[in-house]
Amino acid sequence: SAVSDDWDKYGIELSIKGAEISSKHGNIHQGKLSDCPFVENQFDVVVMYHVIEHVRDPVTNINIIKK
């Protein structure tokens, strides 16, 4: 991972295989953003590389993330 090991890293991956591979870099939730068990104000930074252009409803996703 490009992020320091001092940081707690979380991710979301739809694919079971993708989540399995990604889990070596952080705590990966396999499933949809709307089903994630994260609590409000859990994160200081959220990064979405190559994601927003692939979702059907980006506004809803951004509203979920900004909690």
Side-chain angles (χ1 to χ4, degrees), residues 8-54:
D8 294 329
K9 295 168 272 192
Y10 296 85
I12 303 165
E13 175 58 51
L14 288 172
S15 156
I16 293 171
K17 184 66 174 175
E20 182 181 300
I21 293 167
S22 300
S23 67
K24 65 183 173 184
H25 299 292
N27 183 348
I28 307 299
H29 169 80
Q30 190 276 314
K32 296 179 179 181
L33 173 62
S34 58
D35 299 330
C36 286
F38 305 130
V39 298
E40 285 191 28
N41 298 311
Q42 181 170 345
F43 302 108
D44 294 320
V45 176
V46 175
V47 178
M48 297 175 69
Y49 290 124
H50 306 289
V51 174
I52 202 73
E53 66 270 21
H54 298 285

